Amino acid sequence: MNTSLAPSESVRVLFVDDSRIQRGLWTRLLSQSAEITVVGAIESAEEILPALASLSPDVIVLDVNLPGLSGVEFLEQSDRKELPPCIILSAFVRGATELRDRALAAGAASIISKPQHGSPSEIKDVFDTVRSAILDLHFGGDRSARSSDDFCVQVPEFGVRPPSVTPGLVHTKASAPLIQRAIVIGSSTGGPAALATILQALSRPHPPVLIAQHISSKFTRSLAKSLGEQTGLHVVEVRTGDAIKASTVYVAPGNRHMRVRLANGIAMLMTVGDLPNMHHCPSIDELMTSAVEVFGSNALGMILTGMGNDGATGLLAMRRAGCRTLAQDEASSTIFGMPRAAIERGGVDQVGPPSMLIDEMRRWMRASNAD
Protein backbone atom coordinates (compact mmCIF):
# COMPACT_ATOMS: atom_id res chain seq x y z
CA MET A 1 0.00 0.00 0.00
CA ASN A 2 1.19 3.48 -0.78
CA THR A 3 2.27 5.43 2.33
CA SER A 4 0.51 8.79 2.62
CA LEU A 5 2.72 11.84 2.68
CA ALA A 6 2.08 15.14 4.34
CA PRO A 7 1.13 17.86 1.83
CA SER A 8 4.43 19.65 2.51
CA GLU A 9 6.30 16.54 1.36
CA SER A 10 4.45 16.12 -1.93
CA VAL A 11 5.78 17.37 -5.27
CA ARG A 12 4.09 20.54 -6.46
CA VAL A 13 3.45 20.17 -10.21
CA LEU A 14 2.46 22.82 -12.74
CA PHE A 15 0.86 21.29 -15.86
CA VAL A 16 1.01 23.28 -19.13
CA ASP A 17 -1.09 22.22 -22.15
CA ASP A 18 -3.42 24.17 -24.44
CA SER A 19 -5.93 21.30 -24.55
CA ARG A 20 -8.67 21.54 -21.91
CA ILE A 21 -9.18 17.76 -22.18
CA GLN A 22 -5.48 17.06 -21.60
CA ARG A 23 -5.34 19.44 -18.63
CA GLY A 24 -8.34 17.73 -17.09
CA LEU A 25 -7.08 14.22 -17.79
CA TRP A 26 -3.59 14.72 -16.39
CA THR A 27 -4.72 16.76 -13.41
CA ARG A 28 -7.04 13.91 -12.40
CA LEU A 29 -4.40 11.25 -13.08
CA LEU A 30 -1.54 12.94 -11.23
CA SER A 31 -3.74 13.93 -8.30
CA GLN A 32 -4.34 10.22 -7.56
CA SER A 33 -0.72 9.91 -6.44
CA ALA A 34 -0.28 10.90 -2.78
CA GLU A 35 3.25 12.08 -3.60
CA ILE A 36 2.03 14.66 -6.15
CA THR A 37 -0.03 17.83 -5.83
CA VAL A 38 -1.08 19.58 -9.04
CA VAL A 39 -0.93 23.24 -8.05
CA GLY A 40 -1.98 24.61 -11.42
CA ALA A 41 -2.99 23.71 -14.99
CA ILE A 42 -2.45 26.47 -17.55
CA GLU A 43 -2.66 26.67 -21.33
CA SER A 44 0.28 28.78 -22.58
CA ALA A 45 3.99 29.30 -22.03
CA GLU A 46 3.37 33.00 -21.40
CA GLU A 47 1.50 32.09 -18.20
CA ILE A 48 4.37 30.07 -16.72
CA LEU A 49 6.47 32.83 -15.18
CA PRO A 50 3.53 34.45 -13.34
CA ALA A 51 2.51 30.95 -12.17
CA LEU A 52 6.00 30.33 -10.79
CA ALA A 53 5.68 33.38 -8.58
CA SER A 54 2.19 32.58 -7.31
CA LEU A 55 2.21 28.75 -7.18
CA SER A 56 5.89 27.85 -6.51
CA PRO A 57 5.85 24.51 -8.38
CA ASP A 58 8.67 22.00 -7.89
CA VAL A 59 8.30 20.49 -11.38
CA ILE A 60 6.76 21.72 -14.64
CA VAL A 61 5.15 19.26 -17.08
CA LEU A 62 5.13 21.04 -20.42
CA ASP A 63 3.61 20.38 -23.85
CA VAL A 64 5.49 21.41 -27.01
CA ASN A 65 2.62 22.59 -29.21
CA LEU A 66 1.34 25.68 -27.38
CA PRO A 67 -0.22 28.93 -28.61
CA GLY A 68 2.37 31.70 -28.92
CA LEU A 69 5.69 30.37 -27.65
CA SER A 70 6.12 26.62 -28.03
CA GLY A 71 7.29 24.66 -25.02
CA VAL A 72 10.77 24.29 -26.49
CA GLU A 73 11.00 27.97 -27.40
CA PHE A 74 10.02 28.85 -23.83
CA LEU A 75 12.88 26.74 -22.48
CA GLU A 76 15.33 28.21 -24.99
CA GLN A 77 14.42 31.77 -24.01
CA SER A 78 14.32 31.22 -20.24
CA ASP A 79 17.06 31.38 -17.63
CA ARG A 80 17.47 27.79 -16.46
CA LYS A 81 18.42 28.98 -12.98
CA GLU A 82 14.99 30.55 -12.57
CA LEU A 83 13.04 27.45 -13.59
CA PRO A 84 12.23 24.27 -11.69
CA PRO A 85 12.96 21.03 -13.58
CA CYS A 86 10.82 20.70 -16.72
CA ILE A 87 9.42 17.51 -18.24
CA ILE A 88 8.29 17.63 -21.87
CA LEU A 89 5.07 15.63 -22.37
CA SER A 90 3.98 15.88 -26.00
CA ALA A 91 2.61 13.91 -28.94
CA PHE A 92 5.06 15.66 -31.26
CA VAL A 93 8.36 14.38 -29.88
CA ARG A 94 7.81 10.80 -31.06
CA GLY A 95 10.30 10.30 -33.89
CA ALA A 96 11.19 14.02 -34.00
CA THR A 97 14.93 13.77 -33.36
CA GLU A 98 15.71 17.43 -34.01
CA LEU A 99 12.94 18.58 -31.69
CA ARG A 100 14.07 16.24 -28.91
CA ASP A 101 17.67 17.44 -29.30
CA ARG A 102 16.54 21.07 -29.04
CA ALA A 103 14.47 20.33 -25.95
CA LEU A 104 17.35 18.57 -24.21
CA ALA A 105 19.81 21.31 -25.18
CA ALA A 106 17.39 23.89 -23.78
CA GLY A 107 17.33 22.13 -20.43
CA ALA A 108 14.41 19.67 -20.49
CA ALA A 109 15.01 17.10 -17.76
CA SER A 110 12.96 14.41 -19.47
CA ILE A 111 11.05 13.95 -22.73
CA ILE A 112 7.98 11.70 -22.76
CA SER A 113 5.57 10.95 -25.60
CA LYS A 114 1.86 11.29 -24.92
CA PRO A 115 -0.33 8.23 -25.49
CA GLN A 116 -0.63 7.62 -29.22
CA HIS A 117 -3.90 5.65 -29.33
CA GLY A 118 -5.61 6.68 -26.11
CA SER A 119 -6.49 3.28 -24.65
CA PRO A 120 -6.76 3.13 -20.84
CA SER A 121 -3.83 0.71 -20.59
CA GLU A 122 -1.62 2.95 -22.74
CA ILE A 123 -2.58 6.04 -20.72
CA LYS A 124 -1.71 4.20 -17.51
CA ASP A 125 1.70 3.17 -18.92
CA VAL A 126 2.52 6.78 -19.85
CA PHE A 127 1.21 7.93 -16.46
CA ASP A 128 3.62 5.52 -14.74
CA THR A 129 6.49 7.02 -16.75
CA VAL A 130 5.48 10.61 -16.02
CA ARG A 131 4.93 9.92 -12.32
CA SER A 132 8.30 8.20 -11.98
CA ALA A 133 10.03 11.08 -13.77
CA ILE A 134 8.41 13.63 -11.45
CA LEU A 135 9.34 11.70 -8.31
CA ASP A 136 12.86 11.06 -9.55
CA LEU A 137 13.44 14.76 -10.20
CA HIS A 138 12.19 15.81 -6.78
CA PHE A 139 12.97 12.93 -4.40
CA GLY A 140 15.71 10.92 -6.10
CA GLY A 141 15.99 7.30 -7.11
CA ASP A 142 14.47 5.60 -4.07
CA ARG A 143 11.04 7.15 -4.44
CA SER A 144 11.07 7.11 -8.25
CA ALA A 145 11.40 3.33 -8.14
CA ARG A 146 7.84 3.11 -6.85
CA SER A 147 5.31 2.05 -9.43
CA SER A 148 1.73 3.25 -9.56
CA ASP A 149 0.83 -0.44 -9.29
CA ASP A 150 0.88 -0.05 -5.50
CA PHE A 151 -2.40 1.83 -5.71
CA CYS A 152 -5.36 1.58 -8.05
CA VAL A 153 -5.04 4.37 -10.61
CA GLN A 154 -8.34 5.18 -12.28
CA VAL A 155 -8.18 6.41 -15.88
CA PRO A 156 -10.90 9.05 -16.49
CA GLU A 157 -13.41 8.19 -19.19
CA PHE A 158 -12.98 11.42 -21.13
CA GLY A 159 -10.06 11.81 -23.51
CA VAL A 160 -9.30 8.10 -23.77
CA ARG A 161 -10.89 7.34 -27.11
CA PRO A 162 -9.00 7.87 -30.37
CA PRO A 163 -10.25 10.93 -32.26
CA SER A 164 -12.88 10.40 -34.91
CA VAL A 165 -11.65 11.08 -38.43
CA THR A 166 -13.63 12.33 -41.37
CA PRO A 167 -14.05 9.48 -43.91
CA GLY A 168 -11.77 9.80 -46.90
CA LEU A 169 -8.98 11.64 -45.07
CA VAL A 170 -7.01 8.56 -44.01
CA HIS A 171 -5.28 5.89 -46.06
CA THR A 172 -5.43 2.33 -44.80
CA LYS A 173 -1.62 2.31 -44.46
CA ALA A 174 -0.43 3.14 -40.95
CA SER A 175 2.23 5.47 -42.36
CA ALA A 176 -0.22 7.72 -44.22
CA PRO A 177 -0.88 11.19 -42.80
CA LEU A 178 -4.19 12.08 -41.22
CA ILE A 179 -4.09 15.27 -43.31
CA GLN A 180 -3.62 14.11 -46.89
CA ARG A 181 -3.74 17.30 -48.94
CA ALA A 182 -2.14 20.73 -48.83
CA ILE A 183 -1.68 23.94 -50.80
CA VAL A 184 1.99 24.97 -50.96
CA ILE A 185 2.88 28.53 -51.97
CA GLY A 186 6.24 30.25 -52.54
CA SER A 187 6.61 34.01 -52.92
CA SER A 188 9.10 36.85 -52.57
CA THR A 189 9.09 40.51 -53.67
CA GLY A 190 5.47 41.65 -53.91
CA GLY A 191 4.32 38.40 -52.37
CA PRO A 192 2.36 39.64 -49.33
CA ALA A 193 -0.17 41.48 -51.50
CA ALA A 194 -0.55 38.53 -53.87
CA LEU A 195 -0.90 36.14 -50.92
CA ALA A 196 -3.66 38.26 -49.38
CA THR A 197 -5.59 38.30 -52.66
CA ILE A 198 -5.39 34.53 -53.06
CA LEU A 199 -6.10 33.65 -49.43
CA GLN A 200 -9.17 35.90 -49.38
CA ALA A 201 -10.75 33.43 -51.81
CA LEU A 202 -10.59 30.66 -49.20
CA SER A 203 -13.26 29.95 -46.62
CA ARG A 204 -13.44 27.33 -43.88
CA PRO A 205 -13.11 24.43 -44.19
CA HIS A 206 -10.10 24.44 -46.50
CA PRO A 207 -6.90 22.41 -46.91
CA PRO A 208 -3.88 23.55 -44.90
CA VAL A 209 -1.83 26.21 -46.70
CA LEU A 210 1.96 26.19 -46.32
CA ILE A 211 3.75 29.42 -47.28
CA ALA A 212 7.44 30.18 -47.75
CA GLN A 213 7.76 33.96 -48.18
CA HIS A 214 11.21 35.56 -48.52
CA ILE A 215 11.10 38.11 -45.71
CA SER A 216 13.14 39.14 -42.69
CA SER A 217 12.57 37.23 -39.47
CA LYS A 218 11.51 40.56 -37.92
CA PHE A 219 8.38 40.62 -40.03
CA THR A 220 7.06 37.05 -40.41
CA ARG A 221 4.93 37.19 -37.27
CA SER A 222 3.44 40.53 -38.34
CA LEU A 223 2.91 39.09 -41.84
CA ALA A 224 0.94 36.18 -40.38
CA LYS A 225 -1.12 38.59 -38.27
CA SER A 226 -1.77 40.88 -41.25
CA LEU A 227 -2.85 38.01 -43.51
CA GLY A 228 -5.17 36.75 -40.81
CA GLU A 229 -6.76 40.17 -40.38
CA GLN A 230 -7.17 40.69 -44.14
CA THR A 231 -8.58 37.25 -44.88
CA GLY A 232 -10.37 36.17 -41.71
CA LEU A 233 -8.46 32.88 -41.84
CA HIS A 234 -6.43 31.24 -39.06
CA VAL A 235 -2.87 32.24 -40.01
CA VAL A 236 0.12 31.34 -37.83
CA GLU A 237 3.88 31.66 -37.89
CA VAL A 238 5.23 28.10 -37.79
CA ARG A 239 6.87 26.61 -34.73
CA THR A 240 8.90 23.42 -34.91
CA GLY A 241 6.68 20.47 -34.11
CA ASP A 242 3.41 22.06 -35.30
CA ALA A 243 0.99 19.38 -36.46
CA ILE A 244 -0.55 20.35 -39.80
CA LYS A 245 -4.28 20.95 -39.41
CA ALA A 246 -7.05 21.69 -41.88
CA SER A 247 -8.33 25.28 -42.18
CA THR A 248 -4.97 26.70 -41.05
CA VAL A 249 -2.45 28.82 -42.96
CA TYR A 250 1.19 28.33 -41.94
CA VAL A 251 3.86 30.98 -42.64
CA ALA A 252 7.50 29.89 -42.46
CA PRO A 253 9.50 31.91 -39.91
CA GLY A 254 12.10 34.22 -41.43
CA ASN A 255 15.65 32.90 -41.56
CA ARG A 256 14.38 29.35 -40.92
CA HIS A 257 13.73 26.67 -43.54
CA MET A 258 10.37 24.92 -43.22
CA ARG A 259 10.01 21.21 -43.93
CA VAL A 260 7.06 18.83 -43.94
CA ARG A 261 7.68 15.61 -42.03
CA LEU A 262 5.54 12.59 -41.16
CA ALA A 263 5.69 11.15 -37.65
CA ASN A 264 3.36 8.30 -36.66
CA GLY A 265 0.68 9.31 -39.11
CA ILE A 266 0.89 13.01 -38.19
CA ALA A 267 2.02 15.49 -40.85
CA MET A 268 4.21 17.99 -39.02
CA LEU A 269 6.21 21.11 -39.78
CA MET A 270 9.84 21.35 -38.73
CA THR A 271 12.14 24.35 -39.06
CA VAL A 272 15.92 24.39 -39.42
CA GLY A 273 18.58 27.06 -39.82
CA ASP A 274 21.06 27.53 -42.64
CA LEU A 275 21.42 24.71 -45.17
CA PRO A 276 24.26 24.31 -47.70
CA ASN A 277 23.61 25.60 -51.24
CA MET A 278 20.44 27.41 -50.17
CA HIS A 279 20.57 31.09 -51.11
CA HIS A 280 17.16 31.98 -49.71
CA CYS A 281 15.84 31.31 -46.24
CA PRO A 282 13.12 30.13 -45.97
CA SER A 283 13.70 28.06 -49.10
CA ILE A 284 10.69 27.44 -51.33
CA ASP A 285 12.50 24.49 -52.90
CA GLU A 286 13.02 22.90 -49.47
CA LEU A 287 9.37 23.30 -48.54
CA MET A 288 8.00 21.96 -51.82
CA THR A 289 10.29 18.95 -52.12
CA SER A 290 9.55 17.94 -48.52
CA ALA A 291 5.81 18.35 -49.16
CA VAL A 292 6.05 15.82 -52.00
CA GLU A 293 7.58 13.27 -49.62
CA VAL A 294 4.52 13.46 -47.35
CA PHE A 295 1.60 14.34 -49.63
CA GLY A 296 2.73 12.78 -52.92
CA SER A 297 0.43 13.93 -55.72
CA ASN A 298 -2.16 15.30 -53.29
CA ALA A 299 -0.88 18.87 -53.19
CA LEU A 300 -1.25 22.08 -55.14
CA GLY A 301 1.93 24.07 -55.77
CA MET A 302 2.01 27.76 -56.55
CA ILE A 303 4.86 30.19 -57.34
CA LEU A 304 4.12 33.89 -57.00
CA THR A 305 6.01 37.08 -57.75
CA GLY A 306 9.65 37.29 -56.71
CA MET A 307 13.29 37.67 -57.70
CA GLY A 308 15.61 34.75 -58.48
CA ASN A 309 14.87 31.08 -59.13
CA ASP A 310 13.91 29.67 -55.73
CA GLY A 311 10.99 27.30 -56.13
CA ALA A 312 11.80 26.20 -59.67
CA THR A 313 13.28 22.90 -58.50
CA GLY A 314 10.58 22.34 -55.88
CA LEU A 315 7.69 23.06 -58.22
CA LEU A 316 9.19 20.71 -60.82
CA ALA A 317 9.39 17.98 -58.15
CA MET A 318 5.73 18.58 -57.36
CA ARG A 319 4.68 18.41 -61.02
CA ARG A 320 6.65 15.20 -61.57
CA ALA A 321 4.88 13.72 -58.54
CA GLY A 322 1.52 14.46 -60.16
CA CYS A 323 0.63 17.64 -58.27
CA ARG A 324 -1.19 20.54 -59.89
CA THR A 325 1.28 23.44 -60.32
CA LEU A 326 0.61 27.13 -61.00
CA ALA A 327 2.64 30.30 -61.52
CA GLN A 328 1.76 33.99 -61.47
CA ASP A 329 2.04 35.73 -64.85
CA GLU A 330 4.44 38.52 -65.74
CA ALA A 331 1.81 41.24 -66.08
CA SER A 332 0.59 40.87 -62.50
CA SER A 333 3.98 40.13 -60.90
CA THR A 334 6.06 42.78 -59.19
CA ILE A 335 9.10 40.79 -60.32
CA PHE A 336 8.72 37.86 -62.71
CA GLY A 337 12.00 36.12 -61.82
CA MET A 338 10.75 33.14 -59.80
CA PRO A 339 7.71 32.37 -61.96
CA ARG A 340 9.86 32.65 -65.11
CA ALA A 341 12.47 30.26 -63.71
CA ALA A 342 9.80 27.74 -62.76
CA ILE A 343 8.21 27.95 -66.21
CA GLU A 344 11.55 27.55 -67.97
CA ARG A 345 12.41 24.55 -65.78
CA GLY A 346 9.19 22.84 -66.89
CA GLY A 347 7.48 22.75 -63.50
CA VAL A 348 4.33 24.76 -64.28
CA ASP A 349 0.97 23.47 -65.52
CA GLN A 350 -0.67 26.86 -65.94
CA VAL A 351 0.30 30.55 -65.80
CA GLY A 352 -1.99 33.46 -65.04
CA PRO A 353 -2.94 36.39 -62.79
CA PRO A 354 -4.16 35.87 -59.22
CA SER A 355 -7.79 35.64 -60.40
CA MET A 356 -6.90 32.65 -62.57
CA LEU A 357 -4.81 31.08 -59.80
CA ILE A 358 -7.83 31.37 -57.52
CA ASP A 359 -10.09 29.67 -60.07
CA GLU A 360 -7.61 26.84 -60.52
CA MET A 361 -7.18 26.46 -56.77
CA ARG A 362 -10.94 26.18 -56.29
CA ARG A 363 -11.18 23.69 -59.16
CA TRP A 364 -8.44 21.57 -57.60
CA MET A 365 -10.16 21.66 -54.21
CA ARG A 366 -13.47 20.51 -55.72
CA ALA A 367 -11.83 17.78 -57.79
CA SER A 368 -9.83 16.39 -54.88
CA ASN A 369 -12.60 16.80 -52.29
CA ALA A 370 -10.05 18.72 -50.23
CA ASP A 371 -11.08 19.48 -46.71
Side-chain angles (χ1 to χ4, degrees), residues 131-133 135-136 139-150:
R131 176 176 176 270
S132 293
L135 300 183
D136 183 43
F139 292 119
D142 290 341
R143 288 188 184 270
S144 71
R146 285 179 172 178
S147 166
S148 61
D149 289 338
D150 59 0

Side-chain angles (χ1 to χ4, degrees), residues 17-303:
D17 196 300
D18 65 339
S19 166
R20 179 182 58 82
I21 291 177
Q22 290 292 321
R23 292 196 303 274
L25 170 66
W26 284 96
T27 296
R28 290 179 65 181
L29 282 172
L30 293 170
S31 296
Q32 293 180 60
S33 175
E35 301 97 334
I36 294 172
T37 299
V38 179
V39 295
I42 58 179
E43 61 184 66
S44 71
E46 285 81 2
E47 297 175 80
I48 294 176
L49 293 182
L52 295 183
S54 62
L55 301 174
S56 301
D58 300 310
V59 176
I60 299 174
V61 178
L62 180 64
D63 191 14
V64 167
N65 195 29
L66 298 171
L69 279 180
S70 72
V72 174
E73 289 170 337
F74 169 78
L75 293 177
E76 290 174 335
Q77 297 179 22
S78 300
D79 184 346
R80 296 187 194 181
K81 297 178 182 178
E82 297 180 355
L83 295 180
C86 295
I87 296 170
I88 293 289
L89 175 63
S90 177
F92 304 114
V93 295
R94 190 181 295 107
T97 303
E98 179 192 354
L99 186 61
R100 296 175 71 95
D101 289 345
R102 279 184 61 196
L104 291 171
S110 184
I111 300 175
I112 302 169
S113 296
K114 283 182 179 176
Q116 183 177 4
H117 304 293
S119 67
S121 61
E122 184 189 23
I123 290 175
K124 184 181 181 299
D125 288 343
V126 176
F127 165 73
D128 287 344
T129 302
V130 173
R131 176 176 176 270
S132 293
I134 291 171
L135 300 183
D136 183 43
L137 285 172
H138 191 68
F139 292 119
D142 290 341
R143 288 188 184 270
S144 71
R146 285 179 172 178
S147 166
S148 61
D149 289 338
D150 59 0
F151 67 93
C152 185
V153 59
Q154 298 294 321
V155 175
E157 288 298 322
F158 61 90
V160 300
R161 297 177 180 86
S164 60
V165 180
T166 304
L169 287 185
V170 182
H171 291 303
T172 55
K173 296 189 300 180
S175 60
L178 294 175
I179 296 294
Q180 290 188 357
R181 299 174 176 85
I183 297 169
V184 186
I185 304 176
S187 57
S188 185
T189 309
L195 286 168
T197 298
I198 290 166
L199 294 178
Q200 284 171 348
L202 290 174
S203 60
R204 296 185 180 93
H206 64 79
V209 181
L210 317 179
I211 297 172
Q213 162 71 43
H214 296 163
I215 194 171
S216 167
S217 59
K218 298 178 182 179
F219 303 112
T220 47
R221 185 165 296 182
S222 60
L223 172 63
K225 181 180 179 181
S226 174
L227 289 174
E229 290 173 347
Q230 292 180 74
T231 64
L233 301 178
H234 182 47
V235 185
V236 298
E237 182 187 45
V238 169
R239 303 163 302 177
T240 287
D242 278 348
I244 299 176
K245 300 176 182 178
S247 299
T248 304
V249 179
Y250 299 90
V251 177
N255 300 329
R256 301 280 295 178
H257 297 293
M258 181 165 72
R259 293 169 169 167
V260 185
R261 289 291 182 262
L262 187 62
N264 296 290
I266 300 173
M268 299 173 58
L269 291 168
M270 313 298 290
T271 68
V272 296
D274 290 339
L275 294 173
N277 303 318
M278 293 291 183
H279 301 296
H280 298 283
C281 190
S283 164
I284 302 168
D285 284 331
E286 185 72 15
L287 172 60
M288 289 184 167
T289 54
S290 69
V292 168
E293 295 175 3
V294 172
F295 297 112
S297 62
N298 297 320
L300 173 72
M302 196 182 301
I303 289 290

